Amino acid sequence: MAPIERVADKLEAPALDDRSYRVIRLPNKLEALLVHDPETDKASASVNVNVGSFSDADDMPGMAHAVEHLLFMGTKKYPVENAYNQYLTAHSGYSNAYTASTETNYFFEVAASSGQDSEALAGDNAISPLYGALDRFAQFFIEPLFLSSTLDRELRAVDSENKKNLQSDNWRLSQLNKSLANPKHPYHHFSTGNLETLRDEPQKRGVKIRDEFIDFHKRNYSANRMKLVVLGREDLDKLESWVAELFTGVENKDLPQNRWDGVQPYSDKEVMTQVFAKPVMDTRLLDIYFPFLDEENMYETRPSRYISHLIGHEGPGSILAYIKAKGWANGLSAGAMPVCPGAAFFTISVRLTEDGLKEYKEIVKVIFQYISLIKEDPPQRWIFDETKGMAEVDFKFQQKSRASSFTSQLSSIMQQPLPREWLLSGTQLLRRFDSEAITKGLSYLRADNYRLTLVSQNFPGDWDKKERWYGTEYKAQPIEPEFEGDVKEALATTSKDRIPDLHLPHRNEFIPTKLTVDKRDVAEPMKAPKLIRNDEMVRTWWKKDDRFWVPKGNVYIYLRSPLIKTTPANEIRSNLYCELVKDALVEYSYDAEIAGLYYSLGSYSLGIDIDLSGYSDKMSVLLEKVLVSMRDLEVKPDRFNIIKERQLRGMRNFQFQQPYRQVGDYTRWLNSERARINEQYLAEIGPISPEDVANFYPQLLRQCHVEFLAHGNIFKEDALRMSSLVESTLKPRKLPSSLWQIRRSLVIPPGSDFTYQKTLGDPANVNHCIEYYLFVGDQKDRVLRAKLLLLAQMTDEIGFDQLRTKEQLGYVVFTGTKIMATTMGYRVIIQSERPPEYLEERINAFLAMFATKLEEMTQDEFESHKKSLINKRLEKIKNLDQESERFWSHISSEYFDFLQNEHDANYIRPLVKKDLIEFFDQYIHPTSPTRAKLAVHMVAQSSPKAVAGSMSAAEQKEKVVSLLGKYLTSIGADADVESLTKRFKLVDIVGGDQSAIMQAVSTYLTEDAGVPADQAAQVVEQGQQLLGTVLPSLGIEIQQKPDADGEVLPEAPEVKQTTFIDDVHLYKAQLALTAGPTPVTELRDFEETGPKL
């Protein structure tokens, strides 16, 4: 066997990177990046295959995506379909994958050590979870089984994933752009796939679909097209030996790189057109697509970065500054969009106001005038150098990210033609100023080389077509000659006749200059911030970074006020105030953003949040500007109207979000004394005027308490100075603690069972959703919390496997904990075409099944779950931001439980199986007389369930027989309705006897239609899955039926009758309240007693 080739032993890395790297190439030409991280507690690997949706057959779109799903369903060496995920779950891990245009990316994360000896990993493979995960992972690419028993299930999972996205404007508009692209280029493809494209239509053509997927894998999956990244604590030699052992078996077919040279996504027919699209949400967008140069081999210069920096600038003189001042836009973004090797777009996207929609042609002309400004003089070196310098600073002080994010990203980058030494830096650094390359890039931004897309629910109103895959209404036409002429004229302007307000940006004063860090030897990093000021006005928390040693910091400020929560109108006024301040600061703050210094401002129920993050050098300068702007805001009616209208659209659009993104708001509302929901705000926003906000915000700032956290490369004196700056600038009166709002949750009483039903607002949405919540108790109860966390760990993989993989209830399935303000519980979320009542029944069945599994669980399995959970709770913090967020979450919760994760681990360790069984039987089991349940049902308008309410039993039976007849016809079988109806004469269709229904179909096919038995069996199997959707949608409750492996689905136990919540006020009035949050540790224990830093 040929030797392993060492491609690179040293990679250009960030200054603080303590990892070591090696790039190797196996004899089968599979290239791998090995990463030794001696400090990591999570190992990871990713394989990126140079094949994606662009390689789908034209008549079977979605093939690459379906193959991605199917690879998880068992391999020859590990044939159990969920063995891979079971292994990962048992070792604190998880996996995922995605299919893109030219690549399919698989990745996993797992504990870096078994826990037996977390420091010593040399020698025995058995003590490393990484080895076992790699062994299972490699088989995806060596001998996947494509099991017949899982094929239809996974195709339905793909279909469910597609249906999840049908009402998403991002997916709809992206596909519209593709569908209207050059049909000779694979960019035109529908990438996700559905049952129609992957099963039903191919079967009509006589295609053996399983064979097609196997053939796709054989034709496109080759070792020389694969890039592997492995990150672990093991040394590079050990990782190399494992990769050689486990991945050499991947077959090399010497396939060429996938390229589509000679054809472009837009031909001459697709440019110089304008598309008008109607969105689901009330959104207004203007998008300009320019076919652009392919920068794949221009990794040293990346000319699009220079161009996008200028066109996307938001400071004085920019496109956005001008059109925003005109009242035409709220935002603008620009940049290159790679399509595939050989093709790319440069896109400009503008978020329009109502006036901007009317003036979209003027906006296009302004954009082309600015392009003429850039083209007028040669590219300027200082602009490039400023961008280049910030890129170098950002890379130098780059911190670690999640292990699986790192490996997944790097395996994708490895498909690019970068020098292997530049794999870490190549996509981030700008190495060389190339004036000619920038000029060439600008040459694509021409007045005869673009497509314009205008997105609006109201304009022009005469959409005359529907996109095939998502049903987006649109109208496409050539750009009018007069408008085309105006654009050419705009591009030809000079400094004499150009809009005088447009000019290139000035030099950025926010570029950081002080990048030194006072690094000291620390025996052990501090686990909590110090309280360095605590009085009636300000509470200042501070921690000088002692882990990551980067010249960055994070500052969190909370202005506590009781005024906001008093009415929904006050909450809206406060939110509008924050949006107006941010709007006024756009031009100023954009320079800071470019220089790596960010701020956010937001209104929450108990106060105003001000957050700053980034390089600490000029942080106090930005803070002062934000505070002064808050204090001195002038509420301008024109900007107020624009921002209020934007907020109103956001509220209206909420009901068009995916159901699983809405359901949590209702669950929180029903668990909280004073929480509010979207429709309550929608009812109040109308009358609010500029004068309301102008009169309100001084009252808001007049009296408040300041909670302040400074963390990072910030000295104690600087933290005190910044917190005093808040006080001296805003000059608020003291807010006594007796006036602080107290957050309280509702106590759902033992033995209760509540259901709240909400009809979804989107009439075209086909998905229902349920959040099934079981109240457990006070989140300060550490024993209860430990048991809840362990239950969530135990049900994570098995819940997904049962409810999604086996029962195919829907693509979106979550199980786990839910933490309220002061309480906690266990929850299950499912989004599905099945009605919520059916989903609730299946959740009850799953929980009853799990009770048996818990009883039968071995001691080793139980301990494995404990170990996996403890590893997760004690997982190392990866970067400064993560630690800051953890500190602030404990401060803002008002529990100040900075050591919560360690406490969790300490309370999990002594748990025994008997503890979990007792906990489960009391709080979780569907038949428990003491459990407390709240279910929120989000009901789709478009569901046939609404029709079923008025259907008689005879009509339901007739409907089912009719649908079965149509199904048989669709697959080419003879469907004699009279004979079919006779076969169903004695079948209990309305009772949901699914097995009897399918037996009747089988008898009809073999005896009446003369279909061979083996073909009839295949038809029956597919028809059975069709019934799984049809019967519940007609209001018919399904009896238990065998799954694909012949096993009976878990039986749902009898449960007590639920109480429907019709009057939320009355529901809340009858429930008790918890105590409010209180510190788990006396605050004086955090007060600073040591020397100043």
PDB file of all heavy atoms in Angstrom, residues 374-399:
ATOM      1  N   ILE A 374     -17.459  54.979  -7.492  1.00  0.00           N
ATOM      2  CA  ILE A 374     -16.354  54.048  -7.201  1.00  0.00           C
ATOM      3  C   ILE A 374     -15.480  53.853  -8.432  1.00  0.00           C
ATOM      4  O   ILE A 374     -14.247  53.793  -8.353  1.00  0.00           O
ATOM      5  CB  ILE A 374     -16.899  52.683  -6.724  1.00  0.00           C
ATOM      6  CG1 ILE A 374     -17.787  52.840  -5.494  1.00  0.00           C
ATOM      7  CG2 ILE A 374     -15.755  51.719  -6.410  1.00  0.00           C
ATOM      8  CD1 ILE A 374     -18.508  51.552  -5.098  1.00  0.00           C
ATOM      9  N   LYS A 375     -16.119  53.759  -9.591  1.00  0.00           N
ATOM     10  CA  LYS A 375     -15.375  53.495 -10.828  1.00  0.00           C
ATOM     11  C   LYS A 375     -14.605  54.716 -11.320  1.00  0.00           C
ATOM     12  O   LYS A 375     -13.670  54.584 -12.118  1.00  0.00           O
ATOM     13  CB  LYS A 375     -16.339  53.053 -11.932  1.00  0.00           C
ATOM     14  CG  LYS A 375     -16.915  51.650 -11.757  1.00  0.00           C
ATOM     15  CD  LYS A 375     -17.825  51.312 -12.945  1.00  0.00           C
ATOM     16  CE  LYS A 375     -18.295  49.872 -12.903  1.00  0.00           C
ATOM     17  NZ  LYS A 375     -19.104  49.528 -14.099  1.00  0.00           N
ATOM     18  N   GLU A 376     -15.005  55.892 -10.855  1.00  0.00           N
ATOM     19  CA  GLU A 376     -14.458  57.138 -11.398  1.00  0.00           C
ATOM     20  C   GLU A 376     -12.949  57.233 -11.235  1.00  0.00           C
ATOM     21  O   GLU A 376     -12.238  57.699 -12.136  1.00  0.00           O
ATOM     22  CB  GLU A 376     -15.144  58.316 -10.702  1.00  0.00           C
ATOM     23  CG  GLU A 376     -14.886  59.658 -11.350  1.00  0.00           C
ATOM     24  CD  GLU A 376     -15.811  60.716 -10.762  1.00  0.00           C
ATOM     25  OE1 GLU A 376     -15.818  60.888  -9.520  1.00  0.00           O
ATOM     26  OE2 GLU A 376     -16.534  61.351 -11.530  1.00  0.00           O
ATOM     27  N   ASP A 377     -12.439  56.810 -10.096  1.00  0.00           N
ATOM     28  CA  ASP A 377     -10.997  56.857  -9.830  1.00  0.00           C
ATOM     29  C   ASP A 377     -10.479  55.449  -9.611  1.00  0.00           C
ATOM     30  O   ASP A 377     -11.241  54.536  -9.253  1.00  0.00           O
ATOM     31  CB  ASP A 377     -10.722  57.708  -8.585  1.00  0.00           C
ATOM     32  CG  ASP A 377     -11.104  59.168  -8.797  1.00  0.00           C
ATOM     33  OD1 ASP A 377     -10.716  59.727  -9.843  1.00  0.00           O
ATOM     34  OD2 ASP A 377     -11.806  59.725  -7.918  1.00  0.00           O
ATOM     35  N   PRO A 378      -9.193  55.226  -9.777  1.00  0.00           N
ATOM     36  CA  PRO A 378      -8.638  53.898  -9.523  1.00  0.00           C
ATOM     37  C   PRO A 378      -8.890  53.478  -8.066  1.00  0.00           C
ATOM     38  O   PRO A 378      -9.044  54.336  -7.181  1.00  0.00           O
ATOM     39  CB  PRO A 378      -7.141  54.085  -9.786  1.00  0.00           C
ATOM     40  CG  PRO A 378      -7.042  55.294 -10.646  1.00  0.00           C
ATOM     41  CD  PRO A 378      -8.172  56.183 -10.233  1.00  0.00           C
ATOM     42  N   PRO A 379      -8.962  52.178  -7.797  1.00  0.00           N
ATOM     43  CA  PRO A 379      -9.133  51.711  -6.409  1.00  0.00           C
ATOM     44  C   PRO A 379      -8.080  52.328  -5.496  1.00  0.00           C
ATOM     45  O   PRO A 379      -6.904  52.469  -5.879  1.00  0.00           O
ATOM     46  CB  PRO A 379      -8.949  50.196  -6.532  1.00  0.00           C
ATOM     47  CG  PRO A 379      -9.368  49.891  -7.938  1.00  0.00           C
ATOM     48  CD  PRO A 379      -8.921  51.058  -8.753  1.00  0.00           C
ATOM     49  N   GLN A 380      -8.528  52.702  -4.287  1.00  0.00           N
ATOM     50  CA  GLN A 380      -7.651  53.428  -3.378  1.00  0.00           C
ATOM     51  C   GLN A 380      -7.013  52.482  -2.365  1.00  0.00           C
ATOM     52  O   GLN A 380      -7.704  51.734  -1.669  1.00  0.00           O
ATOM     53  CB  GLN A 380      -8.444  54.529  -2.676  1.00  0.00           C
ATOM     54  CG  GLN A 380      -9.005  55.541  -3.664  1.00  0.00           C
ATOM     55  CD  GLN A 380      -9.578  56.764  -2.988  1.00  0.00           C
ATOM     56  OE1 GLN A 380      -9.132  57.166  -1.913  1.00  0.00           O
ATOM     57  NE2 GLN A 380     -10.568  57.388  -3.625  1.00  0.00           N
ATOM     58  N   ARG A 381      -5.705  52.571  -2.288  1.00  0.00           N
ATOM     59  CA  ARG A 381      -4.934  51.651  -1.450  1.00  0.00           C
ATOM     60  C   ARG A 381      -5.316  51.762   0.031  1.00  0.00           C
ATOM     61  O   ARG A 381      -5.407  50.761   0.730  1.00  0.00           O
ATOM     62  CB  ARG A 381      -3.438  51.958  -1.626  1.00  0.00           C
ATOM     63  CG  ARG A 381      -2.505  51.109  -0.783  1.00  0.00           C
ATOM     64  CD  ARG A 381      -2.190  49.844  -1.508  1.00  0.00           C
ATOM     65  NE  ARG A 381      -1.450  48.917  -0.687  1.00  0.00           N
ATOM     66  CZ  ARG A 381      -0.461  48.162  -1.141  1.00  0.00           C
ATOM     67  NH1 ARG A 381      -0.071  48.271  -2.395  1.00  0.00           N
ATOM     68  NH2 ARG A 381       0.136  47.299  -0.368  1.00  0.00           N
ATOM     69  N   TRP A 382      -5.579  52.993   0.499  1.00  0.00           N
ATOM     70  CA  TRP A 382      -5.835  53.163   1.932  1.00  0.00           C
ATOM     71  C   TRP A 382      -7.124  52.459   2.363  1.00  0.00           C
ATOM     72  O   TRP A 382      -7.227  51.950   3.487  1.00  0.00           O
ATOM     73  CB  TRP A 382      -5.863  54.645   2.316  1.00  0.00           C
ATOM     74  CG  TRP A 382      -7.105  55.400   1.918  1.00  0.00           C
ATOM     75  CD1 TRP A 382      -7.292  56.124   0.785  1.00  0.00           C
ATOM     76  CD2 TRP A 382      -8.343  55.486   2.654  1.00  0.00           C
ATOM     77  NE1 TRP A 382      -8.556  56.677   0.752  1.00  0.00           N
ATOM     78  CE2 TRP A 382      -9.225  56.303   1.905  1.00  0.00           C
ATOM     79  CE3 TRP A 382      -8.781  54.982   3.874  1.00  0.00           C
ATOM     80  CZ2 TRP A 382     -10.516  56.606   2.323  1.00  0.00           C
ATOM     81  CZ3 TRP A 382     -10.068  55.286   4.291  1.00  0.00           C
ATOM     82  CH2 TRP A 382     -10.915  56.079   3.535  1.00  0.00           C
ATOM     83  N   ILE A 383      -8.109  52.420   1.456  1.00  0.00           N
ATOM     84  CA  ILE A 383      -9.359  51.726   1.779  1.00  0.00           C
ATOM     85  C   ILE A 383      -9.095  50.225   1.912  1.00  0.00           C
ATOM     86  O   ILE A 383      -9.554  49.574   2.860  1.00  0.00           O
ATOM     87  CB  ILE A 383     -10.427  52.003   0.696  1.00  0.00           C
ATOM     88  CG1 ILE A 383     -10.792  53.494   0.689  1.00  0.00           C
ATOM     89  CG2 ILE A 383     -11.660  51.128   0.918  1.00  0.00           C
ATOM     90  CD1 ILE A 383     -11.750  53.885  -0.430  1.00  0.00           C
ATOM     91  N   PHE A 384      -8.333  49.697   0.954  1.00  0.00           N
ATOM     92  CA  PHE A 384      -7.964  48.268   1.035  1.00  0.00           C
ATOM     93  C   PHE A 384      -7.161  47.991   2.298  1.00  0.00           C
ATOM     94  O   PHE A 384      -7.415  47.009   3.014  1.00  0.00           O
ATOM     95  CB  PHE A 384      -7.154  47.877  -0.209  1.00  0.00           C
ATOM     96  CG  PHE A 384      -6.615  46.471  -0.145  1.00  0.00           C
ATOM     97  CD1 PHE A 384      -7.393  45.400  -0.542  1.00  0.00           C
ATOM     98  CD2 PHE A 384      -5.327  46.230   0.324  1.00  0.00           C
ATOM     99  CE1 PHE A 384      -6.889  44.101  -0.473  1.00  0.00           C
ATOM    100  CE2 PHE A 384      -4.821  44.938   0.401  1.00  0.00           C
ATOM    101  CZ  PHE A 384      -5.609  43.869   0.001  1.00  0.00           C
ATOM    102  N   ASP A 385      -6.182  48.844   2.593  1.00  0.00           N
ATOM    103  CA  ASP A 385      -5.310  48.622   3.749  1.00  0.00           C
ATOM    104  C   ASP A 385      -6.097  48.652   5.060  1.00  0.00           C
ATOM    105  O   ASP A 385      -5.802  47.892   6.001  1.00  0.00           O
ATOM    106  CB  ASP A 385      -4.189  49.669   3.788  1.00  0.00           C
ATOM    107  CG  ASP A 385      -3.118  49.413   2.730  1.00  0.00           C
ATOM    108  OD1 ASP A 385      -3.083  48.289   2.203  1.00  0.00           O
ATOM    109  OD2 ASP A 385      -2.338  50.337   2.435  1.00  0.00           O
ATOM    110  N   GLU A 386      -7.107  49.517   5.143  1.00  0.00           N
ATOM    111  CA  GLU A 386      -7.920  49.583   6.348  1.00  0.00           C
ATOM    112  C   GLU A 386      -8.688  48.267   6.545  1.00  0.00           C
ATOM    113  O   GLU A 386      -8.734  47.707   7.644  1.00  0.00           O
ATOM    114  CB  GLU A 386      -8.902  50.755   6.237  1.00  0.00           C
ATOM    115  CG  GLU A 386      -9.451  51.229   7.565  1.00  0.00           C
ATOM    116  CD  GLU A 386     -10.242  52.523   7.418  1.00  0.00           C
ATOM    117  OE1 GLU A 386     -11.391  52.464   6.941  1.00  0.00           O
ATOM    118  OE2 GLU A 386      -9.704  53.587   7.779  1.00  0.00           O
ATOM    119  N   THR A 387      -9.265  47.765   5.458  1.00  0.00           N
ATOM    120  CA  THR A 387      -9.998  46.494   5.515  1.00  0.00           C
ATOM    121  C   THR A 387      -9.044  45.345   5.797  1.00  0.00           C
ATOM    122  O   THR A 387      -9.333  44.456   6.605  1.00  0.00           O
ATOM    123  CB  THR A 387     -10.734  46.262   4.181  1.00  0.00           C
ATOM    124  OG1 THR A 387     -11.514  47.411   3.861  1.00  0.00           O
ATOM    125  CG2 THR A 387     -11.634  45.052   4.262  1.00  0.00           C
ATOM    126  N   LYS A 388      -7.891  45.368   5.142  1.00  0.00           N
ATOM    127  CA  LYS A 388      -6.879  44.326   5.331  1.00  0.00           C
ATOM    128  C   LYS A 388      -6.388  44.311   6.776  1.00  0.00           C
ATOM    129  O   LYS A 388      -6.246  43.250   7.403  1.00  0.00           O
ATOM    130  CB  LYS A 388      -5.703  44.578   4.388  1.00  0.00           C
ATOM    131  CG  LYS A 388      -4.504  43.644   4.554  1.00  0.00           C
ATOM    132  CD  LYS A 388      -3.453  43.960   3.484  1.00  0.00           C
ATOM    133  CE  LYS A 388      -2.226  43.062   3.621  1.00  0.00           C
ATOM    134  NZ  LYS A 388      -1.378  43.438   4.773  1.00  0.00           N
ATOM    135  N   GLY A 389      -6.154  45.508   7.333  1.00  0.00           N
ATOM    136  CA  GLY A 389      -5.647  45.595   8.708  1.00  0.00           C
ATOM    137  C   GLY A 389      -6.625  45.040   9.719  1.00  0.00           C
ATOM    138  O   GLY A 389      -6.243  44.314  10.649  1.00  0.00           O
ATOM    139  N   MET A 390      -7.923  45.343   9.554  1.00  0.00           N
ATOM    140  CA  MET A 390      -8.916  44.813  10.487  1.00  0.00           C
ATOM    141  C   MET A 390      -9.049  43.304  10.353  1.00  0.00           C
ATOM    142  O   MET A 390      -9.244  42.586  11.339  1.00  0.00           O
ATOM    143  CB  MET A 390     -10.271  45.480  10.271  1.00  0.00           C
ATOM    144  CG  MET A 390     -10.473  46.774  11.034  1.00  0.00           C
ATOM    145  SD  MET A 390     -10.000  46.731  12.790  1.00  0.00           S
ATOM    146  CE  MET A 390     -10.964  45.356  13.412  1.00  0.00           C
ATOM    147  N   ALA A 391      -8.933  42.792   9.131  1.00  0.00           N
ATOM    148  CA  ALA A 391      -8.996  41.340   8.926  1.00  0.00           C
ATOM    149  C   ALA A 391      -7.848  40.655   9.659  1.00  0.00           C
ATOM    150  O   ALA A 391      -8.018  39.581  10.259  1.00  0.00           O
ATOM    151  CB  ALA A 391      -8.956  41.023   7.432  1.00  0.00           C
ATOM    152  N   GLU A 392      -6.678  41.281   9.629  1.00  0.00           N
ATOM    153  CA  GLU A 392      -5.506  40.713  10.312  1.00  0.00           C
ATOM    154  C   GLU A 392      -5.688  40.733  11.828  1.00  0.00           C
ATOM    155  O   GLU A 392      -5.345  39.771  12.519  1.00  0.00           O
ATOM    156  CB  GLU A 392      -4.246  41.478   9.906  1.00  0.00           C
ATOM    157  CG  GLU A 392      -3.817  41.207   8.473  1.00  0.00           C
ATOM    158  CD  GLU A 392      -2.753  42.170   7.987  1.00  0.00           C
ATOM    159  OE1 GLU A 392      -2.443  43.151   8.726  1.00  0.00           O
ATOM    160  OE2 GLU A 392      -2.234  41.964   6.868  1.00  0.00           O
ATOM    161  N   VAL A 393      -6.230  41.841  12.329  1.00  0.00           N
ATOM    162  CA  VAL A 393      -6.482  41.926  13.771  1.00  0.00           C
ATOM    163  C   VAL A 393      -7.500  40.873  14.196  1.00  0.00           C
ATOM    164  O   VAL A 393      -7.321  40.166  15.197  1.00  0.00           O
ATOM    165  CB  VAL A 393      -6.970  43.348  14.155  1.00  0.00           C
ATOM    166  CG1 VAL A 393      -7.480  43.376  15.584  1.00  0.00           C
ATOM    167  CG2 VAL A 393      -5.846  44.363  13.970  1.00  0.00           C
ATOM    168  N   ASP A 394      -8.579  40.759  13.434  1.00  0.00           N
ATOM    169  CA  ASP A 394      -9.624  39.782  13.767  1.00  0.00           C
ATOM    170  C   ASP A 394      -9.073  38.362  13.757  1.00  0.00           C
ATOM    171  O   ASP A 394      -9.399  37.549  14.634  1.00  0.00           O
ATOM    172  CB  ASP A 394     -10.795  39.893  12.788  1.00  0.00           C
ATOM    173  CG  ASP A 394     -11.617  41.150  13.006  1.00  0.00           C
ATOM    174  OD1 ASP A 394     -11.529  41.736  14.109  1.00  0.00           O
ATOM    175  OD2 ASP A 394     -12.337  41.560  12.076  1.00  0.00           O
ATOM    176  N   PHE A 395      -8.249  38.048  12.772  1.00  0.00           N
ATOM    177  CA  PHE A 395      -7.698  36.690  12.700  1.00  0.00           C
ATOM    178  C   PHE A 395      -6.698  36.446  13.828  1.00  0.00           C
ATOM    179  O   PHE A 395      -6.696  35.379  14.455  1.00  0.00           O
ATOM    180  CB  PHE A 395      -7.027  36.455  11.346  1.00  0.00           C
ATOM    181  CG  PHE A 395      -6.434  35.078  11.223  1.00  0.00           C
ATOM    182  CD1 PHE A 395      -7.259  33.960  11.114  1.00  0.00           C
ATOM    183  CD2 PHE A 395      -5.058  34.889  11.234  1.00  0.00           C
ATOM    184  CE1 PHE A 395      -6.725  32.681  11.022  1.00  0.00           C
ATOM    185  CE2 PHE A 395      -4.506  33.624  11.141  1.00  0.00           C
ATOM    186  CZ  PHE A 395      -5.349  32.517  11.028  1.00  0.00           C
ATOM    187  N   LYS A 396      -5.881  37.439  14.100  1.00  0.00           N
ATOM    188  CA  LYS A 396      -4.863  37.279  15.141  1.00  0.00           C
ATOM    189  C   LYS A 396      -5.489  36.938  16.488  1.00  0.00           C
ATOM    190  O   LYS A 396      -4.967  36.102  17.234  1.00  0.00           O
ATOM    191  CB  LYS A 396      -4.043  38.566  15.258  1.00  0.00           C
ATOM    192  CG  LYS A 396      -2.951  38.509  16.326  1.00  0.00           C
ATOM    193  CD  LYS A 396      -2.147  39.812  16.360  1.00  0.00           C
ATOM    194  CE  LYS A 396      -1.058  39.737  17.434  1.00  0.00           C
ATOM    195  NZ  LYS A 396      -0.264  40.991  17.482  1.00  0.00           N
ATOM    196  N   PHE A 397      -6.621  37.573  16.786  1.00  0.00           N
ATOM    197  CA  PHE A 397      -7.241  37.380  18.109  1.00  0.00           C
ATOM    198  C   PHE A 397      -8.501  36.498  18.026  1.00  0.00           C
ATOM    199  O   PHE A 397      -9.356  36.568  18.884  1.00  0.00           O
ATOM    200  CB  PHE A 397      -7.563  38.731  18.727  1.00  0.00           C
ATOM    201  CG  PHE A 397      -6.330  39.557  19.006  1.00  0.00           C
ATOM    202  CD1 PHE A 397      -6.054  40.679  18.241  1.00  0.00           C
ATOM    203  CD2 PHE A 397      -5.441  39.181  19.995  1.00  0.00           C
ATOM    204  CE1 PHE A 397      -4.909  41.435  18.475  1.00  0.00           C
ATOM    205  CE2 PHE A 397      -4.297  39.930  20.239  1.00  0.00           C
ATOM    206  CZ  PHE A 397      -4.026  41.061  19.478  1.00  0.00           C
ATOM    207  N   GLN A 398      -8.553  35.696  16.998  1.00  0.00           N
ATOM    208  CA  GLN A 398      -9.692  34.782  16.855  1.00  0.00           C
ATOM    209  C   GLN A 398      -9.656  33.740  17.969  1.00  0.00           C
ATOM    210  O   GLN A 398      -8.617  33.170  18.277  1.00  0.00           O
ATOM    211  CB  GLN A 398      -9.622  34.095  15.496  1.00  0.00           C
ATOM    212  CG  GLN A 398     -10.787  33.180  15.195  1.00  0.00           C
ATOM    213  CD  GLN A 398     -10.710  32.664  13.779  1.00  0.00           C
ATOM    214  OE1 GLN A 398     -10.975  33.393  12.827  1.00  0.00           O
ATOM    215  NE2 GLN A 398     -10.319  31.410  13.621  1.00  0.00           N
ATOM    216  N   GLN A 399     -10.828  33.492  18.555  1.00  0.00           N
ATOM    217  CA  GLN A 399     -10.927  32.508  19.641  1.00  0.00           C
ATOM    218  C   GLN A 399     -11.547  31.218  19.125  1.00  0.00           C
ATOM    219  O   GLN A 399     -12.045  31.156  18.005  1.00  0.00           O
ATOM    220  CB  GLN A 399     -11.786  33.090  20.772  1.00  0.00           C
ATOM    221  CG  GLN A 399     -11.219  34.372  21.362  1.00  0.00           C
ATOM    222  CD  GLN A 399     -12.196  35.034  22.319  1.00  0.00           C
ATOM    223  OE1 GLN A 399     -12.391  34.589  23.448  1.00  0.00           O
ATOM    224  NE2 GLN A 399     -12.828  36.105  21.878  1.00  0.00           N
TER     225      GLN A 399
END
